[in-house]
Amino acid sequence: MECRAERAACPPTAEHAPMRGPMMTRGRAQETDVCGVTAAVAVIDGKWKTLLLWLLESGPRRPGELRRLAPGLSEKVLTQALREMESDGLVHREVYEELPLKTVYSLTPFGRELSEALGPLADWGHRRLERLTGAREQAS
């Protein structure tokens, strides 16, 4: 099977079938016998990770600031997403030993590289949205 995005052969065990549920994709984040696209998608899967990457592009942020900038993001889900992103090498967590404790998250060079790689995908997504909007306007 060929991975068109990479123009290289994927291992026979790699599948391009849609993944169902966050656990399936998250479980693939540590696999090494998958297509490169699957490997990338596995670390940004979920509702909040791409937004968190985008928010951290501008510099280090504290968890409370991230929650204020992402309405609807619970503390529990934020903590889980940041821990997964840290485990995947995308973010760095710095804890300052002062009272009250201060935690700051920032992108690692690897996380910044991923963020930059997502730029063309975001551009494509914007073009798709414009296309959908145009099609709806024509149908009206």
Side-chain angles (χ1 to χ4, degrees), residues 69-125:
L69 294 169
L73 175 58
S74 71
E75 186 173 348
K76 177 185 175 190
V77 172
L78 173 64
T79 300
Q80 179 181 354
L82 288 169
R83 285 189 178 157
E84 287 176 3
M85 293 170 75
E86 182 182 16
S87 170
D88 292 329
L90 304 178
V91 299
H92 171 71
R93 179 177 178 253
E94 178 104 19
V95 179
Y96 295 91
E97 298 295 330
E98 56 187 50
L99 291 176
L101 285 178
K102 178 180 171 184
T103 305
V104 177
Y105 289 90
S106 59
L107 286 182
T108 63
F110 196 54
R112 195 162 297 286
E113 185 182 336
L114 173 61
S115 188
E116 290 170 8
L118 290 174
L121 182 61
D123 294 341
W124 181 89

Side-chain angles (χ1 to χ4, degrees), residues 28-50:
R28 291 191 143 186
Q30 303 302 318
E31 289 183 18
T32 58
D33 65 342
V34 295
C35 174
V37 173
T38 301
V41 169
V43 297
I44 58 169
D45 185 47
K47 183 176 180 179
W48 301 103
K49 288 183 183 176
T50 53

Side-chain angles (χ1 to χ4, degrees), residues 116-137:
E116 290 170 8
L118 290 174
L121 182 61
D123 294 341
W124 181 89
H126 288 295
R127 287 191 304 277
R128 179 180 179 272
L129 292 172
E130 289 170 4
R131 216 172 145 185
L132 288 173
T133 301
R136 287 186 183 140
E137 289 172 355

